[in-house]
Amino acid sequence: MAKQIGDILVEKKLVTEEELQRALAEQEKTGEFLGSALIRMGCISEEQLLQSLSEQLNIPFTNLKHLTIDRAVIQRVPARLVEHYKVMPIRWERDVLTIALSNLHRYTWALEDIGLHLGCEVRAVLACRDQVSEAIRKYYGVGAETIETILAQKQGAGALVEPSVGLEEKAEDIERRAEDASVIKLVDQILQEAIQQRATDIHIEPDRDELAVRYRVDGILYDTRVSPDIKYLYSAIVSRIKIMARLDIAERRVPQDGRIKIRVGQRELDLRVSILPSVYGEHVVIRILPTDMLFSLEQLGLLPEDLDILQRIIREPHGMILVTGPTGSGKTTTLYASLSTLNTRQRKIITVEDPIEYELRGITQIHVNPKINVTFANALRSMLRHDPDIMMVGEIRDLETAEVAVQAALTGHLVFSTLHTNDAAGGVARLIHMGIPPYLITSAATAFIAQRLVRLICTECRHEVSDPTTTRILVGGEPIPAYRGKGCEACRFTGYHGRTGIYEILTVNDRIKELIMERASSDILKKEAIRVGMKTLYQDGLKKVAAGLTTSEEVLMTTQADG
């Protein structure tokens, strides 16, 4: 008589007799399988259970992480069967299909049904649930089963299925297709997959005869595995997104922007949608923004000495603090963290933004709308009549906005804003180039802060690199060990997981004011700031390399420094 799984686990010393008895009591109450109870109670891992079941049932156990599956196998097994039974086909030899599964509850039924559909013998191996799910995503792509079902329904109804990428279609037909339950499900699957992968942006990009879906994770764009047949549903997908964002689905010639609010589990997310017409159709970019994000200066990645400087300058009663850097460098997050720190019932804070990325409780936020003449400059003038203590301008783009912001700082307000310059000293040159006189800059500006975002080494696969010729750098004249990420599932095998900021803070002291009045170049301003203690972006990055947070390659790539 075959041994019970509980006895096997006790014999292998994976659980104690006491744990087994507690799990059996739980099983009686909940009706779940014994193995599921033991995993839920934290007594064993799923892998330990499956390896023990492998011995009991004489079914091989396999690790899918290190397995490469032939595309011919994937093409033989429909996505709808794979998704329905949560199995992964891994091998097809002489009319025998081998599938990996983790759920033994419907083991016999799954094998019989798949074998009947495909007309072959089906054998099983055991694999962890997460590995099966990841393999399905990797080889079949996002929403593969949904795409397959939609196209099968169309062909079953006698409809001619042709690629919709770049083709003109009637608006009423597209709208009807966009509201089809299957298309709604497909768009939801794309969104859910992006959120699960920690993506900040989704790019849907039509080409001549294909449709690409890419996710931006930690600042880098990655192609997402999707079925090639998704191109047949391009128009319906774009129209569904337009309907969700309340945009005009019949308009395809001009750019459109909209917003969507969704809930995923317990999280509420704000999706910012941008539609841009191109040669082969409309490109869609969806920015994913959490509505409940907590902003804290301590979480920005500032070194202790820079954090002290920032906390001091944002508590000045008046003046202008400008954060500089390219798009996507985290400027808005720094401004929001500063405002959140200062946000008390004793202060009136007003912002004007384009667009409003996050809603901040207790702060008045104004959205720029040029169509009705709500520009940065006009909104700033109106803000001054509302008795604010602190003002934030999303970006200084022109002389008019710069002049109003400077005047606000000179009349007793604390003003925050951003500029697009490469470094902190460049912010001064940009204001002068716009037409702001140097004497007004010296009177109004408190500090210029440049920043970038660098990827953090994955903590799950972080290791010290031993080769001194390529892995040691000099920080303060001392050689230090360097670290890398080997690459694992947690970091998508990139070696990086998450991002942090690197900073360059130029405070406007008396000597800097003198140089500004002399219209000194940004290089001279930077050298003087370094002389009195300012760290450059590159130097701040090296400090984070020394702390084992990031890599020298990442810092070099981000700052474009020559060392």
Side-chain angles (χ1 to χ4, degrees):
M1 183 176 175
K3 288 184 180 179
Q4 297 295 311
I5 186 62
D7 297 331
I8 293 174
L9 293 171
V10 171
E11 276 184 18
K12 292 167 72 73
K13 297 184 179 179
L14 294 173
V15 299
T16 64
E17 188 64 45
E18 183 185 348
E19 287 173 331
L20 177 60
Q21 294 307 316
R22 282 197 290 116
L24 288 168
E26 279 289 309
Q27 182 188 23
E28 273 194 37
K29 285 192 291 185
T30 62
E32 63 188 319
F33 283 84
L34 177 63
S36 301
L38 286 165
I39 292 172
R40 182 173 55 79
M41 293 165 60
C43 300
I44 57 171
S45 67
E46 183 190 18
E47 185 171 339
Q48 289 172 325
L49 173 65
L50 290 175
Q51 286 177 338
S52 299
L53 284 169
S54 173
E55 292 182 21
Q56 182 196 30
L57 303 173
N58 197 28
I59 301 174
F61 174 82
T62 189
N63 188 331
L64 296 183
K65 288 181 184 178
H66 312 299
L67 198 64
T68 301
I69 301 169
D70 194 320
R71 292 299 308 171
V73 179
I74 307 303
Q75 291 166 359
R76 281 175 176 264
V77 186
R80 63 182 182 275
L81 289 177
V82 168
E83 286 287 350
H84 181 71
Y85 290 109
K86 301 300 179 191
V87 300
M88 183 64 207
I90 60 174
R91 194 164 46 253
W92 187 299
E93 293 175 343
R94 297 176 186 155
D95 289 330
V96 177
L97 172 66
T98 303
I99 61 171
L101 51 78
S102 61
N103 187 351
L104 290 173
H105 303 173
R106 298 187 295 173
Y107 166 72
T108 306
W109 182 17
L111 264 60
E112 288 178 355
D113 197 19
I114 293 171
L116 186 63
H117 272 84
L118 301 180
C120 66
E121 182 185 344
V122 182
R123 296 174 185 169
V125 298
L126 299 178
C128 293
R129 185 189 307 270
D130 288 347
Q131 291 183 19
V132 171
S133 298
E134 180 58 35
I136 293 172
R137 281 199 299 271
K138 177 180 176 182
Y139 288 97
Y140 282 90
V142 182
E145 176 263 340
T146 307
I147 294 169
E148 197 174 84
T149 301
I150 296 171
L151 296 180
Q153 289 171 349
K154 285 180 175 295
Q155 290 170 337
L160 179 63
V161 179
E162 293 181 349
S164 62
V165 175
L167 297 180
E168 290 295 327
E169 296 179 82
K170 291 182 181 179
E172 57 266 28
D173 292 340
I174 299 170
E175 184 169 10
R176 179 173 48 78
R177 287 170 52 198
E179 292 178 340
D180 182 271
S182 298
V183 174
I184 292 171
K185 179 182 176 183
L186 176 59
V187 172
D188 288 347
Q189 287 172 327
I190 292 171
L191 293 174
Q192 288 169 358
E193 173 75 5
I195 293 162
Q196 185 180 347
Q197 296 295 327
R198 301 184 298 108
T200 55
D201 300 86
I202 304 170
H203 292 245
I204 299 174
E205 303 165 327
D207 207 333
R208 183 185 296 275
D209 56 0
E210 65 178 1
L211 183 67
V213 178
R214 296 195 288 172
Y215 297 154
R216 187 178 296 278
V217 181
D218 294 334
I220 306 296
L221 274 172
Y222 297 96
D223 278 301
T224 301
R225 182 83 190 172
V226 290
S227 166
D229 291 337
I230 196 172
K231 64 187 177 184
Y232 298 112
L233 304 173
Y234 158 73
S235 295
I237 291 169
V238 174
S239 296
R240 172 60 190 163
I241 293 168
K242 284 183 178 180
I243 289 170
M244 292 172 72
R246 295 180 173 83
L247 300 177
D248 184 354
I249 67 164
E251 180 56 74
R252 303 183 191 178
R253 299 163 298 172
V254 298
Q256 296 189 68
D257 296 300
R259 304 185 82 143
I260 306 168
K261 278 200 173 180
I262 63 169
R263 181 177 291 278
V264 179
Q266 298 301 312
R267 298 179 66 197
E268 196 171 88
L269 298 166
D270 192 7
L271 308 182
R272 206 169 73 207
V273 179
S274 180
I275 311 282
L276 187 67
S278 73
V279 175
Y280 296 113
E282 294 173 295
H283 282 238
V284 180
V285 175
I286 303 173
R287 169 69 56 88
I288 302 171
L289 302 168
T291 58
D292 57 351
M293 190 167 177
L294 298 176
F295 296 98
S296 166
L297 292 177
E298 289 75 17
Q299 295 175 345
L300 294 178
L302 289 152
L303 294 173
E305 57 268 31
D306 288 334
L307 180 60
D308 290 342
I309 293 171
L310 183 57
Q311 287 177 328
R312 174 175 57 79
I313 62 179
I314 68 172
R315 284 183 168 82
E316 294 286 336
H318 55 80
M320 186 163 64
I321 298 168
L322 293 168
V323 183
T324 77
T327 301
S329 58
K331 300 187 298 296
T332 302
T333 301
T334 298
L335 291 180
Y336 279 7
S338 300
L339 293 180
S340 295
T341 301
L342 299 171
N343 187 16
T344 66
R345 298 305 296 170
Q346 290 73 43
R347 294 188 179 100
K348 173 77 170 182
I349 303 176
I350 307 179
T351 74
V352 54
E353 307 170 59
D354 182 24
I356 296 171
E357 292 201 10
Y358 300 98
E359 295 177 7
L360 299 175
R361 188 180 296 275
I363 293 176
T364 303
Q365 295 175 271
I366 302 168
H367 189 285
V368 167
N369 189 347
K371 292 180 181 177
I372 56 173
N373 206 30
V374 181
T375 62
F376 279 118
N378 289 341
L380 263 173
R381 292 189 184 95
S382 299
M383 286 161 61
L384 289 168
R385 293 192 284 273
H386 278 254
D387 187 32
D389 298 291
I390 300 167
M391 304 162 71
M392 192 267 272
V393 188
E395 183 185 347
I396 293 178
R397 297 176 178 173
D398 51 47
L399 175 60
E400 187 181 13
T401 307
E403 285 176 336
V404 181
V406 167
Q407 288 301 323
L410 292 174
T411 53
H413 302 88
L414 183 60
V415 180
F416 292 88
S417 191
T418 68
L419 286 170
H420 281 115
T421 64
N422 290 329
D423 58 11
V428 177
R430 177 61 55 85
L431 290 178
I432 292 175
H433 180 73
M434 283 182 180
I436 302 297
Y439 73 90
L440 288 181
I441 298 174
T442 59
S443 301
T446 304
F448 293 83
I449 304 168
Q451 73 175 80
R452 299 289 190 279
L453 293 175
V454 294
R455 291 181 293 172
L456 292 167
I457 299 170
C458 175
T459 55
E460 296 292 323
C461 59
R462 177 179 176 269
H463 70 293
E464 185 174 343
V465 185
S466 58
D467 182 1
T469 60
T470 59
T471 63
R472 291 182 183 270
I473 60 172
L474 290 178
V475 177
E478 294 295 326
I480 58 138
Y483 296 88
R484 299 288 183 276
K486 291 180 180 177
C488 63
E489 285 189 359
C491 62
R492 298 168 58 98
F493 299 96
T494 63
Y496 297 97
H497 190 287
R499 289 191 291 176
T500 192
I502 55 175
Y503 298 87
E504 179 178 290
I505 303 177
L506 188 156
T507 53
V508 184
N509 58 27
D510 291 340
R511 179 56 185 151
I512 294 294
K513 288 180 180 180
E514 290 176 11
L515 292 173
I516 293 173
M517 290 298 293
E518 296 169 7
R519 292 180 179 265
S521 69
S522 57
D523 286 342
I524 293 173
L525 288 173
K526 187 170 187 175
K527 285 177 184 176
E528 174 58 24
I530 292 171
R531 189 186 69 79
V532 295
M534 181 187 84
K535 290 189 300 295
T536 65
L537 289 166
Y538 179 65
Q539 290 167 339
D540 191 44
L542 291 188
K543 291 276 187 182
K544 291 179 171 68
V545 173
L549 297 174
T550 189
T551 64
S552 54
E553 294 90 348
E554 182 71 7
V555 172
L556 281 167
M557 182 180 71
T558 306
T559 62
Q560 295 296 307
D562 57 10

